[in-house]
Tab-separated table of all heavy atoms in Angstrom:
chain	number	residue	atom	x	y	z
H	320	LEU	N	104.238	131.959	17.528
H	320	LEU	CA	103.517	132.678	18.596
H	320	LEU	C	104.389	133.642	19.364
H	320	LEU	O	103.899	134.377	20.211
H	320	LEU	CB	102.903	131.688	19.571
H	320	LEU	CG	101.871	130.682	19.032
H	320	LEU	CD1	101.479	129.695	20.081
H	320	LEU	CD2	100.673	131.425	18.486
H	321	GLY	N	105.690	133.620	19.076
H	321	GLY	CA	106.592	134.430	19.929
H	321	GLY	C	106.729	133.729	21.296
H	321	GLY	O	106.800	132.507	21.371
H	322	LEU	N	106.679	134.539	22.350
H	322	LEU	CA	106.896	133.993	23.706
H	322	LEU	C	105.563	133.412	24.268
H	322	LEU	O	104.553	134.136	24.259
H	322	LEU	CB	107.360	135.142	24.586
H	322	LEU	CG	108.370	134.775	25.696
H	322	LEU	CD1	109.604	134.089	25.123
H	322	LEU	CD2	108.775	136.059	26.421
H	323	VAL	N	105.570	132.181	24.685
H	323	VAL	CA	104.410	131.580	25.339
H	323	VAL	C	104.819	131.199	26.764
H	323	VAL	O	105.755	130.426	26.940
H	323	VAL	CB	103.946	130.316	24.574
H	323	VAL	CG1	102.781	129.647	25.310
H	323	VAL	CG2	103.540	130.651	23.154
H	324	THR	N	104.137	131.764	27.769
H	324	THR	CA	104.533	131.512	29.137
H	324	THR	C	103.446	130.757	29.915
H	324	THR	O	102.264	131.078	29.761
H	324	THR	CB	104.822	132.866	29.857
H	324	THR	OG1	105.798	133.565	29.130
H	324	THR	CG2	105.265	132.672	31.311
H	325	VAL	N	103.859	129.741	30.628
H	325	VAL	CA	102.960	128.932	31.471
H	325	VAL	C	103.378	129.130	32.914
H	325	VAL	O	104.560	128.993	33.240
H	325	VAL	CB	103.082	127.434	31.126
H	325	VAL	CG1	102.002	126.631	31.877
H	325	VAL	CG2	102.970	127.202	29.653
H	326	THR	N	102.414	129.448	33.769
H	326	THR	CA	102.684	129.639	35.222
H	326	THR	C	101.833	128.692	36.017
H	326	THR	O	100.668	128.452	35.653
H	326	THR	CB	102.325	131.107	35.595
H	326	THR	OG1	102.959	131.955	34.696
H	326	THR	CG2	102.802	131.429	37.009
H	327	GLY	N	102.364	128.159	37.092
H	327	GLY	CA	101.539	127.294	37.923
H	327	GLY	C	102.373	126.684	39.031
H	327	GLY	O	103.574	126.941	39.153
H	328	PRO	N	101.745	125.793	39.827
H	328	PRO	CA	102.486	125.163	40.908
H	328	PRO	C	103.612	124.276	40.363
H	328	PRO	O	103.466	123.642	39.320
H	328	PRO	CB	101.436	124.321	41.642
H	328	PRO	CG	100.240	124.272	40.744
H	328	PRO	CD	100.334	125.375	39.784
H	329	GLY	N	104.736	124.275	41.100
H	329	GLY	CA	105.870	123.459	40.679
H	329	GLY	C	106.101	122.308	41.622
H	329	GLY	O	107.054	121.540	41.421
H	330	ALA	N	105.293	122.158	42.659
H	330	ALA	CA	105.462	121.063	43.606
H	330	ALA	C	104.170	120.856	44.373
H	330	ALA	O	103.213	121.592	44.160
H	330	ALA	CB	106.613	121.384	44.573
H	331	GLY	N	104.192	119.853	45.263
H	331	GLY	CA	103.002	119.545	46.063
H	331	GLY	C	102.549	118.166	45.759
H	331	GLY	O	102.638	117.699	44.616
H	332	ARG	N	102.106	117.416	46.813
H	332	ARG	CA	101.809	115.990	46.600
H	332	ARG	C	100.608	115.821	45.660
H	332	ARG	O	100.696	115.021	44.710
H	332	ARG	CB	101.595	115.286	47.939
H	332	ARG	CG	100.587	115.959	48.850
H	332	ARG	CD	100.679	115.455	50.260
H	332	ARG	NE	100.079	114.148	50.404
H	332	ARG	CZ	98.747	113.941	50.491
H	332	ARG	NH1	97.913	114.979	50.360
H	332	ARG	NH2	98.272	112.738	50.650
H	333	VAL	N	99.542	116.574	45.868
H	333	VAL	CA	98.343	116.345	45.006
H	333	VAL	C	98.597	116.962	43.630
H	333	VAL	O	98.199	116.393	42.606
H	333	VAL	CB	97.086	116.938	45.667
H	333	VAL	CG1	95.905	116.844	44.754
H	333	VAL	CG2	96.795	116.199	46.985
H	334	GLU	N	99.302	118.106	43.595
H	334	GLU	CA	99.598	118.745	42.307
H	334	GLU	C	100.471	117.782	41.442
H	334	GLU	O	100.251	117.640	40.230
H	334	GLU	CB	100.399	120.053	42.519
H	334	GLU	CG	99.615	121.174	43.177
H	334	GLU	CD	99.553	121.092	44.689
H	334	GLU	OE1	99.905	120.040	45.268
H	334	GLU	OE2	99.178	122.075	45.344
H	335	THR	N	101.410	117.105	42.082
H	335	THR	CA	102.254	116.172	41.334
H	335	THR	C	101.491	114.900	41.000
H	335	THR	O	101.639	114.343	39.906
H	335	THR	CB	103.522	115.857	42.170
H	335	THR	OG1	104.104	117.069	42.597
H	335	THR	CG2	104.576	115.112	41.305
H	336	ALA	N	100.615	114.502	41.908
H	336	ALA	CA	99.745	113.339	41.628
H	336	ALA	C	98.874	113.627	40.423
H	336	ALA	O	98.552	112.738	39.623
H	336	ALA	CB	98.915	112.973	42.863
H	337	PHE	N	98.451	114.886	40.258
H	337	PHE	CA	97.634	115.232	39.105
H	337	PHE	C	98.371	114.976	37.803
H	337	PHE	O	97.789	114.554	36.800
H	337	PHE	CB	97.173	116.701	39.156
H	337	PHE	CG	96.473	117.101	37.914
H	337	PHE	CD1	95.184	116.667	37.614
H	337	PHE	CD2	97.133	117.850	36.953
H	337	PHE	CE1	94.582	116.950	36.399
H	337	PHE	CE2	96.544	118.172	35.731
H	337	PHE	CZ	95.275	117.721	35.454
H	338	ALA	N	99.702	115.209	37.831
H	338	ALA	CA	100.475	114.950	36.606
H	338	ALA	C	100.373	113.462	36.279
H	338	ALA	O	100.271	113.067	35.095
H	338	ALA	CB	101.954	115.363	36.846
H	339	ILE	N	100.403	112.620	37.294
H	339	ILE	CA	100.289	111.145	37.050
H	339	ILE	C	98.896	110.835	36.479
H	339	ILE	O	98.740	110.053	35.514
H	339	ILE	CB	100.550	110.349	38.351
H	339	ILE	CG1	101.938	110.661	38.924
H	339	ILE	CG2	100.357	108.845	38.091
H	339	ILE	CD1	102.218	109.999	40.239
H	340	LEU	N	97.893	111.484	37.074
H	340	LEU	CA	96.519	111.247	36.570
H	340	LEU	C	96.413	111.655	35.119
H	340	LEU	O	95.825	110.939	34.267
H	340	LEU	CB	95.529	112.084	37.401
H	340	LEU	CG	94.056	111.775	37.159
H	340	LEU	CD1	93.616	110.579	38.016
H	340	LEU	CD2	93.179	112.957	37.481
H	341	SER	N	97.004	112.803	34.737
H	341	SER	CA	96.911	113.265	33.357
H	341	SER	C	97.698	112.309	32.429
H	341	SER	O	97.259	112.022	31.319
H	341	SER	CB	97.394	114.696	33.206
H	341	SER	OG	98.778	114.780	33.380
H	342	ASP	N	98.803	111.758	32.940
H	342	ASP	CA	99.543	110.767	32.162
H	342	ASP	C	98.746	109.477	31.982
H	342	ASP	O	98.771	108.852	30.947
H	342	ASP	CB	100.895	110.427	32.845
H	342	ASP	CG	101.951	111.495	32.635
H	342	ASP	OD1	101.785	112.320	31.701
H	342	ASP	OD2	102.939	111.541	33.405
H	343	LEU	N	98.000	109.114	33.044
H	343	LEU	CA	97.150	107.886	32.977
H	343	LEU	C	96.096	108.050	31.909
H	343	LEU	O	95.814	107.128	31.154
H	343	LEU	CB	96.482	107.681	34.325
H	343	LEU	CG	97.021	106.644	35.308
H	343	LEU	CD1	96.154	106.629	36.541
H	343	LEU	CD2	97.073	105.258	34.677
H	344	ILE	N	95.490	109.251	31.882
H	344	ILE	CA	94.430	109.485	30.874
H	344	ILE	C	95.054	109.402	29.491
H	344	ILE	O	94.462	108.772	28.575
H	344	ILE	CB	93.757	110.854	31.116
H	344	ILE	CG1	92.976	110.836	32.452
H	344	ILE	CG2	92.848	111.252	29.961
H	344	ILE	CD1	92.415	112.162	32.885
H	345	ASP	N	96.218	109.978	29.337
H	345	ASP	CA	96.917	109.965	28.049
H	345	ASP	C	97.174	108.507	27.591
H	345	ASP	O	96.869	108.120	26.460
H	345	ASP	CB	98.218	110.747	28.210
H	345	ASP	CG	98.801	111.192	26.892
H	345	ASP	OD1	98.010	111.280	25.926
H	345	ASP	OD2	100.014	111.417	26.813
H	346	ILE	N	97.715	107.724	28.525
H	346	ILE	CA	97.991	106.313	28.178
H	346	ILE	C	96.681	105.557	27.865
H	346	ILE	O	96.591	104.860	26.850
H	346	ILE	CB	98.761	105.623	29.340
H	346	ILE	CG1	100.171	106.152	29.434
H	346	ILE	CG2	98.779	104.119	29.177
H	346	ILE	CD1	100.994	105.648	30.626
H	347	GLY	N	95.683	105.771	28.725
H	347	GLY	CA	94.406	105.079	28.540
H	347	GLY	C	93.819	105.391	27.172
H	347	GLY	O	93.395	104.499	26.413
H	348	GLU	N	93.834	106.681	26.803
H	348	GLU	CA	93.271	107.077	25.488
H	348	GLU	C	94.050	106.415	24.334
H	348	GLU	O	93.453	105.968	23.359
H	348	GLU	CB	93.352	108.599	25.348
H	348	GLU	CG	92.272	109.305	26.121
H	348	GLU	CD	92.174	110.767	25.752
H	348	GLU	OE1	93.197	111.427	25.618
H	348	GLU	OE2	91.033	111.241	25.600
H	349	LYS	N	95.376	106.385	24.469
H	349	LYS	CA	96.203	105.819	23.408
H	349	LYS	C	95.956	104.313	23.304
H	349	LYS	O	95.866	103.782	22.166
H	349	LYS	CB	97.688	106.085	23.681
H	349	LYS	CG	98.055	107.547	23.438
H	349	LYS	CD	99.551	107.718	23.450
H	349	LYS	CE	99.994	109.025	22.835
H	349	LYS	NZ	99.931	110.166	23.733
H	350	VAL	N	95.832	103.624	24.441
H	350	VAL	CA	95.621	102.176	24.414
H	350	VAL	C	94.248	101.880	23.800
H	350	VAL	O	94.108	100.996	22.951
H	350	VAL	CB	95.755	101.573	25.818
H	350	VAL	CG1	95.320	100.119	25.860
H	350	VAL	CG2	97.188	101.727	26.330
H	351	ILE	N	93.249	102.682	24.184
H	351	ILE	CA	91.902	102.471	23.636
H	351	ILE	C	91.903	102.720	22.110
H	351	ILE	O	91.367	101.928	21.355
H	351	ILE	CB	90.865	103.386	24.366
H	351	ILE	CG1	90.699	102.895	25.802
H	351	ILE	CG2	89.547	103.393	23.630
H	351	ILE	CD1	89.971	103.888	26.698
H	352	ALA	N	92.596	103.805	21.707
H	352	ALA	CA	92.658	104.114	20.265
H	352	ALA	C	93.340	103.000	19.513
H	352	ALA	O	92.914	102.567	18.408
H	352	ALA	CB	93.375	105.421	20.044
H	353	GLY	N	94.426	102.439	20.103
H	353	GLY	CA	95.178	101.370	19.461
H	353	GLY	C	94.321	100.111	19.318
H	353	GLY	O	94.313	99.440	18.281
H	354	ALA	N	93.548	99.791	20.378
H	354	ALA	CA	92.702	98.598	20.336
H	354	ALA	C	91.607	98.790	19.306
H	354	ALA	O	91.252	97.835	18.572
H	354	ALA	CB	92.102	98.376	21.738
Side-chain angles (χ1 to χ4, degrees):
L320 300 175
L322 215 55
V323 176
T324 303
V325 186
T326 308
R332 52 195 284 283
V333 175
E334 292 84 345
T335 311
F337 172 74
I339 301 176
L340 190 85
S341 71
D342 282 342
L343 258 180
I344 292 173
D345 199 23
I346 289 175
E348 283 192 317
K349 287 190 163 83
V350 172
I351 291 167

